[in-house]
Amino acid sequence: MRFSRSSKSVFGLLTAGVLLVIYAPLAVVLVNSFNSNRNMIWPPPGFTTDWWVSAFHSNGLWEAVGTSVIVALASTAIALTLGTLVAMALSRYRFFGRSTVNLLVVLPIALPGIVTGIALNNGFRTILGLQLTLGTVIVAHATFCIVTVFNNVMARLSRVSPNLVDASSDLGAGLWTTFRLVTFPQLRSALMAGGLLAFGLSFDEIIVTTFTAGSGVTTLPIWILNNMFRPGQAPVVNVIAVVLVVISSVPIYLAQRLSGDDADNAKG
Amino acid sequence: MARAGSDFRTSFAHRISSLLFNRAKLRLGLLLAAPITWLVLIYVFALVALLVTAFWTVDSFTGAVHMEWSLNNIQTVLTSSLYRAVTLRTVGIACLVTIADLILAFPIAFFMAKIAGPRSRRLLVIAILMPLWASYLVKAYAWRAVLSHDGLLQWLLAPIGGQTPGYGLTAVILTQGYLWLPYVILPIFTGLEKVQNSLLEASSDLGAKNWQTIRRVVLPLLVPSIVAASIFSFSLTLGDYITVNIVGGASQMLGNLVYTNVGAANNLPMAAAVALIPVILMFGYLAAVRRTGALESL
Amino acid sequence: MKLAAMKLSALFVGAAMALSACSAATPSASTASSITKLGKGEGSLSLLGWPGYAEDGSNDPKVDWVTPFEQASGCQVTFKSYGTSDEALNLFKTGNYDAIAASGDATLRLIASGAVQPLNTKLIPSYKGVYSFLKNRAWNTVDGKTYGVPHGYGANLLMYKKDVVKPAPTSWSVVFDGSSAYKGHVTAYDSPIYIADAAVYLMAHNPKLGIKNPYALDDNQLKAAVDLLKSQRANVGEYWSDYLKEISAFESGDSVVGTTWQVIVNSMSAKANVGAVLPSEGATGWSDSWMVASNTKHVNCAYKWLDYIDSAKANAAATEYFGEAPVTQAACQYGSAGFCDSYHAGDATYASKIWYWTTPIAKCLDGRTDVQCTDYAAWTTAWQEIKG
């Protein structure tokens, strides 16, 4: 395709337009975090930094952030392990039931969250008789995060030549050594990208979490949900949203750096 | 590279490695053991148990579940005009949201994948992913403010004589379209990256105009990614009840019916029966698109 | 291969069914009696309630009535909030909570399922000071046994924007028969219990139906209420379930008239220019009750909490923060100026016009024995059909 100046600028304009649409509501969120009226009426009658101060001092908020981070880290770790295993199996071997396994991995995210939520809730509480704790949330999150890791690793593995693995074992390396020194370095960027997406998915998840979190477990989305009902506390949620968006740029940038380098190398 | 030398040849690790070397099936089994066990025991089991519950009934007052087999719930779901209407409404909204998102996603994904330089591409990806971290609830409430009677949209449309659609189905489509957009852009972007530039160059060498190339070369190659993106947006819309509560005005969708049955009616069997609708719809869709290879592009 | 797969699936489904059967045991209604003696605190207490019912300073260091309780009783409190009564029931069923603050649309369901135990009010000294019109009511007392002590109470008022709804309304007709004048801008509470509001209206405007208690509706009466609500639906802009929604809707002008809570009226800005009234037909209202779980391991701490939350100082703090009337006159001296007046605390006439939320049950709450009344499940189905 030859891109004339005009078609480049058309695409560029459309892109800018979409970005504007994406960020306009976030600008509303930012403005609302300074809204002097605690019911966030629009347009804001005045501005105040009270909510930012209040957010900083709110123990409940920081505990919720901590809980969310723990849940996301644990779920991502599990998802990374399981996702890589499945991806390696599916990319290297042809076997009966291959597409069924693929479907199985995809199901937790393809079926609506509320179905997953009530199914797991029923499964944990009624059938297994378990209490709903941090563990149940982690298990639930890990289950639907597997697919993001799986996809990234599959895509990466399809670009990796199996010859390298063969060469490695020809040279006498055992399976684990081959994985550690040959396969894993190539997968690293895919794992980073998949892991980051899994982390983000888990961090912001509300529907499945509502159904699988016990009484003592307050992840950040649950805290936000509660605070939207709490008398006069609602604007604080805008503060945390802004902070998260800004902070998220760092890990996203890092992940992009890592996967971007490999993508550039592998481009055909 | 560290080599353990002759120790390695007799070590335990080596014995395992050589044992597995020729036994592909064993290797496969070991790889699949953990993930499959996890998924089946935790997810499939729970899902089947839930669907089995759909055939039971509940004592309406105490909430105790009676395990007598009855097709009551299924019958209600299939015959009641309420469920028909709400299902059609939800599927309709899901289609509109998906189409809107695909239309919005394509230009930006194309720009990112084919036109932007590596630096801008990286920045754009970051810009697309960052909003995912602002909480879903906060974004939905922001849209509530935007769509309100004296909100941003009204302010923008007033000079040209327009009016905000207010809270209702249109608002739901706009908000859900906004919320799922990053999930739609990403697969399309990934898919576009895989389309080799040489193909595009060849196409224009053969005389095709740009939009012809897009229509005849790019889009067919993108089908798996488009389907993958649509799976996301369909599934998210079919089960959503929160957005409807925030901007949906007086309307309700399938997710709300499931949610109120779990909550208000305290009637898990009925909720499970209603949940069968989106489950069957998604299964049907997944089966139909298996051929396109979309499942690998999620 | 295919046969093997089918057999495997059948086995699988069978196992799932068997496991489900094992654990979905039917609880029986509690025949337990209340405790007779109060012992030492057990050291911890797990509470479930509406957001803002048990603040411990973690959201706002200045708002805290839980820490004084923890220091005095030695019971460490964990609190979980819920968004709707129905969510409350679901959470409480997990058995993780020792006490729950439940609204009337949930209390009878809790009592019937045996989830809560009858209370020995002699062991709750603060109960003596509670307003008499909140004691021994249909939603907290069954067969002469009291199951809950009140947290606060409030009415569902009619709120309207003064510059849009003229003249100032005194009747619910602006949201029912007269609602077409405000098409697209009427609002109502999003819950099946709102059907009772329609019933209250019909009590005054259609006495031929013979409704004596808006929570005791037989099939005919329910149908009349549902028809009224379906015609209202055409004019409703949105139903509200959390009050932030209603506040934003009235502030922006998306809603101009509908049911509300006093706390919402108090939160509106001057610019919104709203007024609120308890209409002539009367209104529904709510009085949440603190109840103790049947199988709690912390019954002493639970009783201490019930006593504490009904005590003057704590009750004033809790109800003023949430935005409802306190349960005891003594609380008025602890609230800020005008607190009790704003919520009409202690005004027995005002309170008598309120039909407090009570779970509709098959056994008619107005005492009729010749017909079966519609229960909450029927109301829920009806509500879904009204929303369409």
Side-chain angles (χ1 to χ4, degrees):
Chain A
M1 278 173 90
R2 300 281 142 71
F3 290 110
S4 64
R5 252 303 196 0
S6 61
S7 57
K8 271 195 188 170
S9 35
V10 163
F11 272 109
L13 252 126
L14 287 171
T15 304
V18 172
L19 279 176
L20 193 71
V21 168
I22 291 181
Y23 278 89
L26 294 181
V28 171
V29 171
L30 179 65
V31 169
N32 263 335
S33 69
F34 293 105
N35 194 332
S36 63
N37 178 291
R38 63 186 191 171
N39 297 311
M40 301 192 289
I41 59 176
W42 189 270
F47 295 96
T48 170
T49 52
D50 282 352
W51 309 118
W52 285 81
V53 173
S54 175
F56 192 67
H57 285 124
S58 169
N59 288 333
L61 170 60
W62 293 113
E63 272 174 38
V65 171
T67 310
S68 276
V69 169
I70 293 175
V71 169
L73 281 175
S75 326
T76 306
I78 299 176
L80 281 172
T81 318
L82 296 177
T84 311
L85 287 172
V86 180
M88 278 171 63
L90 255 60
S91 74
R92 298 226 183 112
Y93 302 90
R94 297 271 172 282
F95 57 93
F96 174 76
R98 193 165 178 269
S99 52
T100 313
V101 173
N102 198 348
L103 183 69
L104 201 58
V105 171
V106 162
L107 261 189
I109 214 169
L111 291 184
I114 190 170
V115 177
T116 307
I118 58 178
L120 288 176
N121 176 291
N122 188 45
F124 289 142
R125 275 204 304 120
T126 319
I127 298 181
L128 294 174
L130 294 173
Q131 300 272 36
L132 293 180
T133 58
L134 199 66
T136 50
V137 184
I138 293 176
V139 167
H141 283 210
T143 310
F144 63 70
C145 284
I146 294 177
V147 67
T148 60
V149 177
F150 167 73
N151 277 311
N152 275 287
V153 176
M154 274 287 275
R156 197 73 191 83
L157 283 175
S158 66
R159 292 196 281 223
V160 167
S161 161
N163 295 335
L164 285 170
V165 174
D166 287 342
S168 168
S169 36
D170 283 344
L171 287 167
L175 280 171
W176 174 248
T177 315
T178 305
F179 178 75
R180 192 164 59 89
L181 297 170
V182 179
T183 319
F184 183 70
Q186 292 177 314
L187 284 183
R188 218 175 27 206
S189 60
L191 289 177
M192 242 333 253
L196 190 76
L197 201 56
F199 190 91
L201 264 178
S202 161
F203 201 76
D204 189 37
E205 213 286 326
I206 178 69
I207 296 184
V208 175
T209 318
T210 322
F211 287 100
T212 50
S215 63
V217 179
T218 310
T219 59
L220 188 60
I222 293 183
W223 186 89
I224 293 176
L225 191 63
N226 289 341
N227 270 273
M228 298 213 111
F229 293 114
R230 202 171 292 267
Q233 278 292 309
V236 177
V237 308
N238 291 309
V239 172
I240 189 68
V242 172
V243 170
L244 284 176
V245 170
V246 170
I247 290 182
S248 70
S249 57
V250 175
I252 296 177
Y253 172 73
L254 286 174
Q256 271 305 291
R257 250 341 259 281
L258 279 166
S259 57
D261 289 337
D262 291 341
D264 287 335
N265 291 338
K267 224 185 186 122
Chain B
M1 187 156 115
R3 286 200 50 188
S6 58
D7 293 330
F8 174 67
R9 288 182 188 281
T10 51
S11 73
F12 186 60
H14 182 245
R15 283 215 285 272
I16 303 262
S17 295
S18 34
L19 181 74
L20 293 174
F21 186 70
N22 280 324
R23 292 184 176 75
K25 285 216 173 121
L26 188 54
R27 283 206 306 275
L28 178 65
L30 283 177
L31 278 177
L32 284 179
I36 299 293
T37 317
W38 177 285
L39 284 169
V40 167
L41 272 187
I42 293 176
Y43 193 68
V44 178
F45 214 56
L47 209 56
V48 170
L50 179 74
L51 300 184
V52 158
T53 320
F55 293 96
W56 292 342
T57 55
V58 74
D59 177 313
S60 59
F61 195 57
T62 63
V65 177
H66 292 310
M67 280 157 292
E68 307 128 23
W69 292 100
S70 123
L71 286 175
N72 262 342
N73 293 331
I74 311 284
Q75 206 177 9
T76 316
V77 169
L78 284 178
T79 56
S80 157
S81 59
L82 171 72
Y83 292 101
R84 243 199 320 276
V86 175
T87 305
L88 283 173
R89 182 186 307 148
T90 311
V91 172
I93 292 179
C95 290
L96 286 173
V97 169
T98 306
I99 293 173
D101 273 353
L102 287 172
I103 293 177
L104 278 176
F106 186 75
I108 189 170
F110 194 84
F111 185 83
M112 275 162 47
K114 296 296 171 204
I115 301 180
R119 194 108 180 266
S120 338
R121 182 180 311 129
R122 207 171 284 152
L123 285 173
L124 280 171
V125 172
I126 296 177
I128 303 288
L129 289 179
M130 269 168 64
L132 281 178
W133 291 72
S135 154
Y136 165 92
L137 290 165
V138 175
K139 286 186 283 192
Y141 258 97
W143 266 94
R144 190 182 158 82
V146 168
L147 290 166
S148 71
H149 199 238
D150 59 1
L152 200 62
L153 197 60
Q154 178 72 25
W155 181 74
L156 283 172
L157 291 177
I160 55 172
Q163 217 191 13
T164 170
Y167 305 132
L169 293 180
T170 319
V172 172
I173 295 173
L174 288 173
T175 309
Q176 285 183 339
Y178 173 81
L179 289 170
W180 319 148
L181 192 57
Y183 297 114
V184 171
I185 294 180
L186 281 180
I188 308 257
F189 168 66
T190 316
L192 276 171
E193 272 197 316
K194 287 197 205 141
V195 173
Q196 293 171 336
N197 287 342
S198 46
L199 276 175
L200 303 178
E201 279 170 23
S203 168
S204 74
D205 282 345
L206 286 167
K209 297 203 187 55
N210 279 353
W211 67 267
Q212 275 178 322
T213 308
I214 292 178
R215 196 162 66 85
R216 297 259 192 104
V217 179
V218 177
L219 283 183
L221 284 173
L222 269 188
V223 167
S225 309
I226 292 180
V227 172
S230 69
I231 292 178
F232 265 123
S233 70
F234 255 101
S235 147
L236 287 166
T237 304
L238 280 180
D240 186 65
Y241 58 92
I242 297 182
T243 309
V244 193
N245 269 334
I246 297 177
V247 297
S251 45
Q252 53 183 357
M253 284 169 55
L254 263 183
N256 299 93
L257 287 181
V258 177
Y259 189 68
T260 43
N261 272 306
V262 174
N266 221 9
N267 190 340
L268 188 64
M270 192 60 197
V274 183
L276 274 177
I277 301 179
V279 167
I280 292 178
L281 286 174
M282 281 313 296
F283 258 110
Y285 192 60
L286 285 174
V289 300
R290 229 159 47 149
R291 291 278 181 76
T292 64
L295 296 185
E296 274 112 41
S297 329
L298 270 174
Chain C
M1 203 43 144
K2 215 169 166 183
L3 195 58
M6 274 170 61
K7 280 191 193 162
L8 200 62
S9 329
L11 192 67
F12 193 65
V13 174
M17 275 162 47
L19 269 180
S20 319
C22 284
S23 21
T26 314
S28 54
S30 172
T31 45
S33 49
S34 49
I35 63 172
T36 47
K37 229 161 58 93
L38 212 50
K40 267 178 36 137
E42 296 88 353
S44 74
L45 182 65
S46 175
L47 299 176
L48 183 63
W50 292 95
Y53 266 33
E55 290 295 304
D56 62 357
S58 60
N59 282 300
D60 182 347
K62 292 195 256 24
V63 176
D64 181 2
W65 53 89
V66 165
T67 313
F69 168 75
E70 289 176 325
Q71 285 162 349
S73 67
C75 304
Q76 293 310 303
V77 171
T78 48
F79 177 76
K80 171 137 179 95
S81 63
Y82 56 80
T84 62
S85 292
D86 317 298
E87 188 193 337
L89 276 169
N90 263 339
L91 287 168
F92 200 65
K93 274 199 310 190
T94 60
N96 288 336
Y97 307 96
D98 302 308
I100 177 175
S103 297
D105 54 345
T107 49
L108 291 181
R109 286 187 278 168
L110 286 167
I111 297 172
S113 62
V116 292
Q117 54 174 284
L119 297 174
N120 184 343
T121 55
K122 290 209 258 306
L123 301 175
I124 307 175
S126 305
Y127 193 66
K128 277 203 275 303
V130 169
Y131 294 126
S132 52
F133 52 77
L134 295 176
K135 296 188 193 174
N136 298 320
R137 300 299 303 265
W139 66 87
N140 58 24
T141 305
V142 171
D143 291 336
K145 295 196 231 174
T146 301
Y147 285 83
V149 301
H151 178 91
Y153 70 99
N156 294 319
L157 305 167
L158 173 64
M159 183 158 76
Y160 57 96
K161 283 182 85 79
K162 290 190 189 154
D163 48 350
V164 177
V165 183
K166 294 200 236 241
T170 52
S171 153
W172 287 109
S173 57
V174 285
V175 294
F176 288 118
D177 297 326
S179 58
S180 50
Y182 309 103
K183 192 173 166 75
H185 298 285
V186 175
T187 187
Y189 189 60
D190 191 354
S191 164
I193 205 75
Y194 184 71
I195 294 178
D197 286 62
V200 167
Y201 184 74
L202 289 171
M203 274 167 74
H205 292 261
N206 196 344
K208 271 200 307 190
L209 285 169
I211 303 177
K212 297 280 173 288
N213 179 326
Y215 302 98
L217 301 178
D218 61 37
D219 290 322
N220 271 341
Q221 294 164 338
L222 181 65
K223 183 168 182 314
V226 168
D227 288 340
L228 181 64
L229 288 168
K230 279 186 178 163
S231 61
Q232 182 199 54
R233 164 77 175 84
N235 300 317
V236 170
E238 74 173 355
Y239 292 100
W240 63 276
S241 46
D242 70 83
Y243 68 79
L244 193 67
K245 261 177 84 173
E246 184 169 57
I247 294 174
S248 75
F250 269 86
E251 293 276 1
S252 65
D254 286 282
S255 294
V256 301
V257 66
T259 50
T260 188
W261 296 336
Q262 185 68 50
V263 63
I264 297 176
V265 181
N266 295 349
S267 304
M268 302 295 298
S269 69
K271 176 171 154 262
N273 199 10
V274 297
V277 64
L278 184 71
S280 52
E281 297 94 344
T284 53
W286 31 270
S287 175
D288 301 341
S289 313
W290 280 101
M291 314 176 102
V292 177
S294 302
N295 53 4
T296 174
K297 297 194 185 42
H298 306 113
V299 66
N300 295 310
C301 276
Y303 265 77
K304 286 185 201 293
W305 172 258
L306 265 56
D307 180 44
Y308 176 74
I309 200 67
D310 272 5
S311 64
K313 187 158 183 226
N315 197 259
T319 51
E320 182 163 16
Y321 180 68
F322 188 79
E324 53 182 332
V327 299
T328 168
Q329 191 64 30
C332 294
Q333 59 183 294
Y334 290 103
S336 49
F339 161 53
C340 275
D341 289 335
S342 150
Y343 293 100
H344 306 270
D347 182 344
T349 325
Y350 183 87
S352 67
K353 288 165 78 179
I354 303 178
W355 291 99
Y356 294 93
W357 280 352
T358 313
T359 325
I361 48 175
K363 184 172 123 176
C364 292
L365 288 165
D366 57 3
R368 280 184 292 172
T369 46
D370 52 333
V371 288
Q372 277 255 305
C373 281
T374 47
D375 62 9
Y376 195 67
W379 284 39
T380 312
T381 317
W383 185 248
Q384 287 180 334
E385 277 166 27
I386 291 167
K387 284 178 85 171

